[in-house]
Amino acid sequence: MEMLIHSLISSTLDTIMQLILSAVLWVFYLKLNEKYAETSKKGVLSIAKGSKYLSLSIIAPVLLSMISLLVLEDSAEHYIWYLVNLPHTFLTLFSVVYFIRGVRNFDL
């Protein structure tokens, strides 16, 4: 019983930290996009897009796993790779590409 409580607390704290990090990255994206949208600073805008995709890659697995467990119940284990890991991988790759592009073009 105590192991179950420890597991639930750990999982809850991990989810809360992921939500906070995702929100911080999303606010960072909005601030950079708002400030540099009218300028021609491609590096800063690429870093903003990278933070947007990284934010989505953090929040998407959390939401998709919760939704898949509610909708698919017992059969969710069979589809978890397609529903959670595949979108997470693609969104993380998009963010890496935008961060690399942003670092290459970075100029203040």
Side-chain angles (χ1 to χ4, degrees):
M1 183 67 176
E2 189 154 325
M3 191 64 164
L4 177 66
I5 293 173
H6 175 68
S7 176
L8 287 173
I9 290 172
S10 175
S11 177
T12 304
L13 288 175
D14 185 45
T15 302
I16 290 171
M17 287 189 309
Q18 287 178 351
L19 291 173
I20 290 171
L21 179 60
S22 182
V24 167
L25 285 168
W26 191 263
V27 169
F28 182 64
Y29 158 70
L30 291 175
K31 294 283 186 180
L32 282 179
N33 202 28
E34 176 184 311
K35 182 167 179 138
Y36 292 101
E38 301 299 322
T39 65
S40 62
K41 302 213 183 267
K42 293 180 183 177
V44 176
L45 292 175
S46 288
I47 290 174
K49 284 184 183 177
S51 65
K52 174 178 81 170
Y53 286 119
L54 188 60
S55 171
L56 290 175
S57 78
I58 292 170
I59 195 73
V62 173
L63 294 178
L64 289 174
S65 63
M66 288 189 321
I67 291 170
S68 67
L69 288 173
L70 290 174
V71 172
L72 300 174
E73 295 174 356
D74 293 336
S75 63
E77 293 176 18
H78 300 292
Y79 302 106
I80 205 78
W81 191 84
Y82 298 108
L83 294 173
V84 176
N85 293 338
L86 199 61
H88 171 70
T89 303
F90 282 127
L91 288 169
T92 304
L93 285 175
F94 283 145
S95 67
V96 167
V97 167
Y98 276 110
F99 278 126
I100 290 172
R101 191 170 145 204
V103 168
R104 271 193 9 219
N105 298 328
F106 192 75
D107 183 34
L108 284 178

